Amino acid sequence: MSDYFKNRPSKCNSEYTSPDQIILCPDHNQSLYCHLLCGLVQRDEVVRVGAAFAFVLVRAIDFLEKHWKELCSNIRSGHVSEWITDLEGRNAVSTILRGPDSILADVIEQECSHKSWEGIITRLWPKAKYIDCIITGQMSQYIPMLEFYSNKLPIVSTTYGSSESTFGMNVDPLCKPQDTSYTCAPNISYFEFLPVDHKGDMASIVDLVDVKLGCYYEPVVTNYFGLHRYLIGDILQVTGFYNNTPQFRFVHRKNVVLSVRSETTTEEDILKALNHVGLVLESSDLMLMGFTCYADISTFPGHYVFYWELKAKDVQDVFELEEKVMVKCCSLLEESFDEVYRKNRSKDECIGPLEIRVVQQGTFDSLMEYFISQGGSIAQYKTPICINSSEALAVLENKVLARFFSEKSPPLDS
Ligand code: AMP
């Protein structure tokens, strides 16, 4: 919304298929619809498909799946749907539509009517060379989905940063998403690093030039306003150097842990565990569209609860849940957790069977709407990996379709 953005140099205006009026539209459903309409109409010019975070892109494809018939009808008639009431946005899109185009509508209709949406991004935007979005950290859960939708186009995760400052850039953009490191450009802000095992004081803090290969740190950033020294709350690992500039792998958010007893299950552990279930879901033609979890200690023994939103891989397939598959997923998650978890669960029986609660489709959109209504920004929204807020949990609880529990304790030596 800033003047800086609105008055940016004109060369940037051709960077996106959407005019500024769409980017600035305050209603995000209208905005997303118009983004897709503009992108489809100008499909031959699109060389990059992206969003700031992978989550937004996955959500956009899901939205396209629900709205493609209407989008095609708009292209066929040359008129934007009536529910697009944002006047500036409506006028801007109408200019891009340039009247009825039944040939284009037919092509898009044909691609979207396929039973499978595998490769839909490359089919709709055949000149797209890569997917541009942050795919590290908690966004890594969307790698399989984006690979499926894009026929494995390169996924480029260009930057690591926050509202306070950009921290680093990916200088090897075509690397595998899992291998992404960010090079911390020293002139962007003043960077310091707290070793992860610090004792709560700042005495052990080191400068950018003093970080050691392989070690784990939390970045501390002073930006050009200079009035604050921000503890960012991320954990990074030094993976190498670009010339003399350190490079970091994003490991996880600090303090995101599930714990029922003495175990600590971090964001990274949770994402790794989900990776393990990926194959089971894939062989059942299911996709995990969203998840979050919490440690339910309201009963004894406490247990981990995962909320999952699932979707059939083939769009026209009726989504069916197989008890056997879901129970297996519960067991696989437990087997992936560390020894302390497994010991607490198997030997001491002070952690109860892990539970997956499958929620209705669209639940994670509702969760996002809830957080946005509390003042969050949609462009920066990230589904929380773990949830503590009772209001947010209530949003999920209202939409639970089915519950599944792990049936046996995980082996101690896996
Ligand atoms: P915000 O200030 O709301 O934009 O959030 C900034 C936070 O987003 C960072 O502290 C990270 O936790 C997360 N984040 C930003 N960029 C990346 C990235 N490239 N990989 C993983 N997490 C990221």
Side-chain angles (χ1 to χ4, degrees):
M1 293 292 173
S2 67
D3 288 340
Y4 178 80
F5 177 77
K6 289 178 196 156
N7 304 323
R8 67 200 184 285
S10 60
K11 64 179 161 58
C12 298
N13 288 341
S14 58
E15 201 184 352
Y16 306 116
T17 44
S18 298
D20 281 8
Q21 291 86 341
I22 303 302
I23 298 171
L24 302 173
C25 171
D27 178 318
H28 53 256
N29 275 329
Q30 292 191 40
S31 169
L32 185 48
Y33 185 89
C34 295
H35 275 307
L36 288 167
L37 192 51
C38 295
L40 289 170
V41 171
Q42 300 166 86
R43 69 192 284 259
D44 287 331
E45 287 155 63
V46 173
V47 289
R48 171 183 66 138
V49 176
F53 290 98
F55 163 78
V56 182
L57 194 50
V58 169
R59 182 172 172 264
I61 297 165
D62 195 47
F63 187 93
L64 178 62
E65 214 178 292
K66 295 189 180 102
H67 291 87
W68 64 266
K69 287 188 182 141
E70 186 181 346
L71 287 158
C72 285
S73 137
N74 286 186
I75 295 170
R76 196 176 298 286
S77 67
H79 290 293
V80 191
S81 294
E82 292 307 319
W83 67 276
I84 305 300
T85 49
D86 181 89
L87 259 193
E88 288 195 32
R90 196 180 168 84
N91 291 340
V93 178
S94 302
T95 319
I96 288 177
L97 267 181
R98 288 187 306 247
D101 190 340
S102 59
I103 297 175
L104 178 62
D106 284 346
V107 173
I108 295 168
E109 209 164 81
Q110 201 201 338
E111 292 305 343
C112 293
S113 310
H114 285 208
K115 186 166 181 282
S116 166
W117 266 38
E118 186 165 8
I120 191 71
I121 294 182
T122 32
R123 285 192 275 121
L124 290 178
W125 294 284
K127 291 184 184 158
K129 297 277 182 289
Y130 68 103
I131 303 294
D132 179 4
C133 60
I134 289 173
I135 198 74
T136 40
Q138 72 169 101
M139 295 297 145
S140 61
Q141 61 181 291
Y142 301 110
I143 295 173
M145 250 176 274
L146 288 180
E147 286 185 338
F148 173 76
Y149 286 134
S150 74
N151 263 339
K152 298 204 171 165
L153 276 183
I155 306 177
V156 179
S157 191
T158 51
T159 44
Y160 162 48
S162 72
S163 315
E164 288 74 29
S165 169
T166 296
F167 305 146
M169 275 85 62
N170 176 0
V171 295
D172 182 14
L174 294 178
C175 69
K176 283 210 264 167
Q178 295 84 346
D179 297 337
T180 304
S181 282
Y182 300 97
T183 305
C184 200
N187 53 344
I188 299 179
S189 281
Y190 180 62
F191 296 104
E192 298 166 281
F193 295 87
L194 263 179
V196 281
D197 49 4
H198 70 92
K199 306 271 180 293
D201 59 43
M202 301 290 273
S204 51
I205 201 161
V206 294
D207 269 320
L208 184 62
V209 290
D210 294 320
V211 297
K212 301 269 178 298
L213 188 66
C215 293
Y216 292 81
Y217 299 93
E218 177 181 357
V220 180
V221 175
T222 308
N223 61 19
Y224 276 96
F225 296 106
L227 297 173
H228 297 277
R229 204 176 174 205
Y230 297 100
L231 268 166
I232 295 300
D234 295 336
I235 303 299
L236 312 177
Q237 183 187 24
V238 183
T239 51
F241 294 87
Y242 181 79
N243 298 326
N244 289 327
T245 311
Q247 298 181 297
F248 298 90
R249 171 176 82 88
F250 184 95
V251 184
H252 61 82
R253 266 306 286 162
K254 202 170 99 177
N255 297 337
V256 176
V257 283
L258 282 180
S259 185
V260 164
R261 200 146 189 262
S262 51
E263 89 292 2
T264 44
T265 303
T266 65
E267 176 181 297
E268 201 186 16
D269 298 329
I270 295 167
L271 290 170
K272 268 193 194 145
L274 281 167
N275 222 356
H276 277 127
V277 264
L279 273 182
V280 178
L281 289 179
E282 201 158 308
S283 56
S284 307
D285 284 331
L286 289 172
M287 284 197 292
L288 183 62
M289 297 301 289
F291 86 91
T292 188
C293 52
Y294 83 109
D296 180 3
I297 46 167
S298 61
T299 51
F300 183 81
H303 72 297
Y304 289 8
V305 177
F306 279 74
Y307 293 91
W308 278 16
E309 182 176 324
L310 291 165
K311 184 170 141 180
K313 234 176 183 177
D314 286 345
V315 281
Q316 287 155 12
D317 274 4
V318 184
F319 163 67
E320 269 177 41
L321 280 177
E322 258 187 73
E323 168 109 22
K324 207 173 76 195
V325 171
M326 295 309 298
V327 170
K328 179 150 193 212
C329 289
C330 293
S331 303
L332 277 177
L333 287 174
E334 291 203 301
E335 281 167 27
S336 316
F337 294 143
D338 72 2
E339 206 187 325
V340 187
Y341 175 92
R342 286 181 278 117
K343 187 165 170 297
N344 273 312
R345 165 89 171 94
S346 309
K347 229 166 144 194
D348 305 342
E349 294 182 0
C350 45
I351 299 183
L354 183 145
E355 179 183 358
I356 294 178
R357 297 184 187 163
V358 178
V359 292
Q360 293 164 17
Q361 289 192 19
T363 300
F364 280 83
D365 276 358
S366 307
L367 188 70
M368 178 185 73
E369 306 279 353
Y370 166 74
F371 281 113
I372 304 297
S373 74
Q374 302 299 300
S377 140
I378 189 164
Q380 286 165 286
Y381 177 75
K382 305 149 201 95
T383 306
I385 295 247
C386 298
I387 286 210
N388 298 316
S389 134
S390 49
E391 289 86 359
L393 279 174
V395 174
L396 299 167
E397 274 305 312
N398 283 334
K399 312 223 176 214
V400 172
L401 288 174
R403 294 162 181 238
F404 302 93
F405 290 90
S406 157
E407 279 179 353
K408 56 180 189 331
S409 302
L412 279 176
D413 55 358
S414 69

